[in-house]
Amino acid sequence: MASPEPPAPRRARRSTTRTVRPEDVGALVRVLSALQVHLLSGDLPPQLTTSLSGHLTTAGLLAPGATPADLLLALDDLAGRLRSGGAPVEVSGETRHLVGFPTREQADAFVLGVTRRAGDEVEGPVAAEVGRWVGDVRWQVTVRVTERPMTPAFDARIAWLHALADAHAGHLGGWEA
């Protein structure tokens, strides 16, 4: 008589102690940034926007009946707290738009175009933050502006920054308040 088949090996269990690594926080911040960019550009389906608002409302991070602009700021606040390890995020009244470029020359040309516009403060170009960008981005520029998110002036500024970045092979990499 043949012996019974041995039971199939079980999959190893994950560790019961799970810590949040800096890489995890960085990944979450990038996901939140991607959501913000897609929300700004109108790429998020209404069902997803409603779902995100509901989850943030349940967590106490967003008031019931919040607007898409409120959702955008709540996502940015959450990303800021993650970046700062939970410390309160200082509200500056401005937004910082990150733009990445493959070459220093492209970044310099973009900066020259931005500085021609009154009211913009520009930082960079500097070497791109490791892990923030995908593809061939090696240089980044930060443009500080004062338009409130989800307003016609803000939308016009984003469109202008997109056009200028595109003209110099740049990529908008999100923004933070």
Side-chain angles (χ1 to χ4, degrees):
M1 175 169 210
S3 60
E5 289 283 325
R10 297 183 96 195
R11 191 176 78 162
R13 291 185 58 117
R14 292 183 181 183
S15 170
T16 58
T17 57
R18 296 181 183 160
T19 59
V20 177
R21 302 170 303 154
E23 298 84 9
D24 300 333
V25 172
L28 288 170
V29 168
R30 286 189 297 278
V31 166
L32 291 170
S33 178
L35 286 171
Q36 291 173 57
V37 168
H38 289 288
L39 181 61
L40 275 172
S41 65
D43 292 342
L44 292 183
Q47 302 91 331
L48 180 55
T49 303
T50 300
S51 178
L52 289 170
S53 293
H55 289 298
L56 292 178
T57 299
T58 299
L61 303 176
L62 193 60
T67 66
D70 296 328
L71 172 60
L72 191 62
L73 293 173
L75 291 170
D76 188 63
D77 288 344
L78 180 57
R81 283 191 304 281
L82 286 169
R83 277 192 299 275
S84 69
V89 178
E90 183 179 323
V91 177
S92 66
E94 66 182 18
T95 56
R96 293 171 297 283
H97 303 266
L98 304 175
V99 189
F101 299 90
T103 70
R104 173 70 189 249
E105 293 76 21
Q106 292 161 325
D108 286 337
F110 174 82
V111 167
L112 185 60
V114 171
T115 56
R116 289 184 181 144
R117 184 176 178 130
D120 288 341
E121 182 181 329
V122 181
E123 294 176 9
V126 298
E129 292 176 43
V130 176
R132 179 173 191 98
W133 301 92
V134 296
D136 59 354
V137 172
R138 301 290 175 259
W139 295 91
Q140 71 183 38
V141 175
T142 303
V143 181
R144 297 174 185 270
V145 298
T146 56
E147 290 87 358
R148 180 155 168 74
M150 306 293 281
T151 64
F154 185 87
D155 293 344
R157 177 59 58 94
I158 292 293
W160 182 80
L161 284 174
H162 266 289
L164 186 60
D166 288 347
H168 299 290
H171 310 281
L172 263 65
W175 65 278
E176 50 194 31

